[in-house]
Amino acid sequence: MNCCTVTKQPCPPAVGNNRHRLPTRRDLNKRHPPSSYVTEVNALGAARSEWQRIQRGLAEFELTLGRADISPETPVTAQGYKPEINATPWIIDEVTHNFTARGYTCSIRMERR
């Protein structure tokens, strides 16, 4: 019986008080491609797409700013950092807007595009 609706896997062993282990982001990123494709072009396209997906999450970069106009999925170009960071195309993955007694801040997490 499949009880994990996200991963479609059998229930993991119970951990204390009969609780189940929830899937992590790493568990959800596992992908099992089909064993065959109709054409070589389809297979190469799927492999290229999967490679780009894997590469996207390899590098992360975090900043805290004071800008309210930033939103997820926005492409970013870094400047003033190491050459490796400046040369990498980034995309905003997560934005957290904070308003406290000390003022407004915006924390962004970017990953390699």
Side-chain angles (χ1 to χ4, degrees):
M1 177 175 156
N2 289 341
C3 73
C4 293
T5 57
V6 176
T7 61
K8 305 292 186 209
Q9 299 294 321
C11 295
V15 179
N17 295 339
N18 295 325
R19 293 183 184 167
H20 295 286
R21 179 184 159 274
L22 294 175
T24 63
R25 184 174 181 184
R26 180 170 286 170
D27 295 335
L28 297 176
N29 282 340
K30 291 181 182 176
R31 178 154 156 70
H32 303 286
S35 57
S36 63
Y37 290 92
V38 176
T39 66
E40 183 179 353
V41 172
N42 289 353
L44 289 173
R48 189 173 298 112
S49 176
E50 183 64 13
W51 177 251
Q52 289 172 349
R53 186 190 70 81
I54 291 169
Q55 292 298 309
R56 181 175 175 183
L58 284 182
E60 291 184 352
F61 190 45
E62 295 185 23
L63 289 173
T64 300
L65 308 167
R67 294 185 52 178
D69 62 338
I70 297 174
S71 61
E73 299 299 320
T74 303
V76 175
T77 302
Q79 294 179 343
Y81 298 94
K82 292 181 179 181
E84 298 85 13
I85 294 172
N86 291 344
T88 303
W90 300 97
I91 191 163
I92 297 176
D93 181 48
E94 182 179 307
V95 180
T96 305
H97 299 279
N98 298 307
F99 187 73
T100 64
R102 297 181 69 182
Y104 172 80
T105 60
C106 174
S107 301
I108 61 173
R109 186 178 74 213
M110 299 175 282
E111 57 184 32
R112 188 173 164 178
R113 190 171 7 154

